[in-house]
């Protein structure tokens, strides 16, 4: 795992309109405080003139407490009218997981976390069913069942929100939650929400994508991890991957092959998010690998 | 190339509703006439009960002229109410190519044919522009320019049809032709038409799929070879492939990366078709690899 | 899962030298006893003249008990000097798993088995360490620790053999066992052994393949599932897959990315084996997909 | 094509041992002369402490002639003991191509160059056979035949060297040249040499890799583009890619499928080299995508 290897480091994410001198100014800022830049990457969208940058620097030798960096950087940010985030990678991200009946993505995330592939804390798993309770028990993570019906959805969402906020969750992962989160929920949750959709978006939006893929006779299926937005299946895409299928594959075979994709694509998206490699702008993401 | 290796062989393609005894009966038919089965594959769609089969057998030792096989097989076909085709693989398929301004798929097909990767004859290339004339000249293939406008489309299609029919074309390949063939044309052409679409269908149907993909921010793009039908981009898919893209890729980079995909996917589809590995049923194909 | 879908079926695997009439004769045999062929595939190696075939037929309507098929088929086999196997797919394969300290392949197989992706019974897990005991406990499978040192290896192997034989294991899976099984062990075990090697064989044979790959600077790494033979890493390959890496990936990143590959490649190999889709001849396999 | 899109730009490649402040100092240097950084990427090898960086900046507004940048940068380079290169991307790289009888990689490179995918000039094609002369003629590029035998190899290499030097070639591409260049040749040529090897290195080093792959029964084959060094097939790898094969594929099928890989992998490697995205250190490369 990268984090374990490197000495302690801080990520600075920056988004502004492109102008001359940004890289030099930000690199100078870090250097002036004694930081050693370990990794830097930036991207300029030539159509929109958006400038997006990620710099990772060592905290060793830093002449300023990490918690003071945001304030110290504020004047630089003001000059370029930047949106920015400062994140020490040693601070583990608090992740709340939403799950329904299918357990494979949940089990996969829990195993990756336990073997330190994903440096996250999981204070809470919430489900509308109790099917996955044994996984929570095995990994000793609090598990809350919040059943939902069409009628009780608003109240259930408020309940879920309270639980997440009580745990100061910084990221919500929909690990095959199978419920659509309302615009209200997304507006109130106060942190990013990552969803895994079981198709190669924008193909096969909506219900039963494996059945749709089967009927269309495609030769390849996919999975897509994206940030949830109020437009269903339209959120900014973080990661996609695909697998080849053939005419012998039934819908059940597609579901089976798709499970492997869903796990891997979701895990990659979560990993990139918590390493602060993803920046959203417009309907798109920049992923600094 | 498979064909060059094997002794001369015949493919029998069969499509009917599934019943007991089809494989035994057809294998028995071939054996009774002294044929040695080199390759056999079949598929039963359990949802629709369609039975689709491909058998390839050596002509060496065959006690019946190849041209008499269809008639000899007719009684068997009648018992099972089969649609069938008998094709000696040594008989090169006559292919007419339609092309517009972009030459990469055309040039690719011509080179594959010349190095005997594709055992086809190309009696004719037709284009609505003269851009690709030099390729035709280099490979010594007749090249016809049939310009088209919205107004002249019906007449132009009749002209194209006459040219193809005069050459007894058995397959039409749209090598980035960029024109939509009318339902009339497809009804009259009398042979299959393969098109290459520059997206991972059903994503990004219609115009400018690379621009659409860029704006949606997908992480993977694709290409799709399918039989042309009157429903645009809805024909049975023969082959698809994909390539990973990133945020640094402009629309022009997608076009460039896509060209490689288009060439390869189209060539694979043509190859499978001319080796009689593809059977269409409903909106789907079975591809016997 | 295929098995759940289809009515109960039997697989007949056949290996002999190629001659005219094999397909017709075997299909006729099945048909004569009232079997309906669901799937058939065969391959002739033109260099060696080996003929390898897999036929799957429904047991419904079969006019002979499944257990009598081998004897009934013996006369046909004798004519063609065939090696053959008859296997009802409803009979779950008994699999013994060998594992060392790393748990990911074991955990993956157990989860696939529980969700009925792999129709196998696992009567026994054996390890030279107790690290994976909790997985065995969770899935309620007997777990035996057989520690091994250089000196005690012969005795330990005898102990492992006794345990496997007592459970009438039909397949042994080395789920990252990290020990080399002796030629003696392989000669006595009496069933196939599948190993997962953490490289794209034949690249990086031997110890520390991820470190080797890192130092060579390859751009892609892989994993290979193969039958274990006395020549280390030289057994017939069943399945391989790969993933792209970059210069930012440390050895630890390769290990992490490789884990996903190892799980998937091993699971595919086991699945194909238990569905009797794999035939070994010489140093190679035929895999009927 | 990236180059066409961006305003004119310059790449600065840097290699030194890692120290604090390199990014800030180099970015400051560019900024001080009025350059706008369009793209920057760097990598630190934590095991060897090598620091490798690529910065691309716009020439528009630059207050110094491009040709004076190397001298202006020299003091910075001295401080950090840097190896560096300054390259305006508008300056097309002069590429000499070596080819033998097989034409596919040559034809592919020529077509990519003509459609401006590869912003290179090709002043010369050299072959030990005259098979590819028609391609040179079609693209109006001088074509020299330099036959070679075991006995005449030293003289032939001197002849090839003279021809390349006379054209001030900056990169030599072995487009399936099938001859091993001597250590002498490589020492004298004075520019990088890219070779395409038709296997997934380090698997199947040496002659007939497709035959080797066939006999080993691998399920995936590959191609590798690397810088030629005096240790055959051991040079730093620039790019690799793979394709799945099956038991039906003969050696000829592997050759056919491999051709597509060879073209694509070689073209990608050349593209990355001429865009100055590749830095060699030790036996490895860093490729800044």
């Amino acid at each position: 795992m990268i984090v374990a290897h490197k000495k302690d480091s801080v990520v600075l994410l920056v988004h502004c309109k492109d102008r001359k001198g940004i890289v030099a100014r930000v690199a100078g800022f870090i250097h002036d405080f004694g930081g050693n830049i370990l990794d830097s990457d930036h991207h300029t969208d030539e159509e929109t003139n958006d400038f997006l940058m990620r710099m990772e620097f060592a905290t060793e030798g830093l002449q300023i407490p990490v918690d003071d960096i945001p304030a110290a950087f504020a004047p630089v940010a003001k000059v370029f009218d930047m949106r920015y985030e400062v994140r020490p990678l040693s601070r583990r991200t608090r992740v709340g997981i939403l799950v329904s009946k299918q357990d494979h993505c949940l089990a996969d995330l829990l195993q990756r976390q336990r073997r330190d592939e994903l440096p996250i804390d999981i204070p809470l798993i919430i489900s509308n069913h109790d099917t996955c309770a044994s996984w929570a028990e095995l990994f000793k993570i609090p598990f809350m069942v919040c059943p939902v019906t069409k009628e009780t959805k608003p109240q259930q969402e408020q309940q879920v929100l309270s639980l997440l906020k009580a745990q100061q969750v910084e990221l919500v992962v929909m690990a095959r939650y199978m419920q659509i989160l309302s615009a209200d929920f997304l507006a109130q949750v106060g942190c990013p929400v990552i969803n895994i959709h079981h198709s190669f978006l924008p193909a096969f939006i909506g219900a039963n994508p494996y059945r749709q893929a089967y009927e269309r006779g495609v030769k390849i299926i996919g999975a897509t991890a994206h940030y949830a937005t109020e437009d269903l299946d339209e959120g900014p895409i973080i990661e996609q991957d695909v697998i080849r299928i053939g005419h012998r594959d039934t819908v059940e075979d597609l579901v089976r092959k798709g499970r492997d994709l869903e796990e891997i694509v979701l895990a990659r998206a979560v990993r990139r998010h918590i390493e602060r490699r993803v920046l959203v702008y417009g309907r798109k993401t920049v992923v600094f690998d």
Side-chain angles (χ1 to χ4, degrees), chain A residues 49-235:
Chain A
N49 203 36
D50 283 279
F51 174 94
L52 307 115
M53 183 165 69
R54 179 186 189 272
M55 278 204 179
E56 184 179 340
F57 50 99
T59 50
E60 195 187 22
L62 210 59
Q63 293 145 5
I64 178 177
V66 170
D67 289 343
D68 293 357
I69 297 174
F73 188 68
V76 179
K78 201 171 172 194
V79 169
F80 295 96
D81 198 16
M82 288 171 174
R83 172 170 75 92
Y84 69 102
E85 181 187 357
V86 176
R87 179 80 189 189
L89 287 186
S90 59
R91 192 170 299 158
R92 299 166 73 88
T93 301
R94 294 177 69 80
V95 178
I97 299 181
L98 305 186
V99 68
S100 188
K101 285 186 183 168
Q102 292 192 52
D103 66 353
H104 59 287
C105 284
L106 171 66
D108 181 71
L109 290 173
L110 295 177
Q111 288 170 72
R112 290 183 197 272
Q113 190 241 18
R114 192 169 66 172
R115 68 167 90 104
D116 261 347
E117 255 187 46
L118 290 176
I120 55 176
D121 289 325
I122 305 174
L124 184 63
I125 299 166
I126 301 174
S127 180
N128 51 337
H129 295 281
D130 63 1
T131 324
C132 294
S134 60
W135 283 112
E137 195 183 338
L138 181 69
F139 285 84
K140 305 199 191 323
I141 294 172
F143 181 81
M144 301 297 298
V145 180
C146 302
V148 63
T149 64
K150 213 172 168 183
E151 289 72 31
T152 63
K153 182 159 179 167
Q155 299 93 299
Q156 192 255 12
E157 285 199 341
Q158 285 308 315
Q159 186 189 7
V160 172
L161 277 174
S162 301
L163 289 165
L164 294 171
K165 282 173 185 293
Q167 292 297 336
Q168 292 166 288
V169 157
E170 298 166 290
L171 173 69
V172 173
V173 175
M174 302 170 74
R176 302 297 315 274
Y177 180 48
M178 309 302 279
Q179 298 290 318
I180 298 165
L181 298 177
S182 69
D184 253 15
F185 181 100
L186 292 169
Q188 291 177 54
V189 68
C191 72
V193 177
I194 294 179
N195 183 41
I196 178 74
H197 185 76
H198 41 312
S199 88
F200 182 82
L201 287 177
F204 309 128
I205 283 172
N208 275 328
Y210 292 125
R211 163 58 62 180
Q212 291 183 57
Y214 176 82
E215 292 187 347
R216 181 62 187 91
V218 291
K219 302 303 184 191
I220 287 172
I221 56 169
T224 304
H226 63 92
Y227 289 110
T229 59
E230 56 179 305
D231 296 318
L232 186 63
D233 300 337
E234 293 287 341

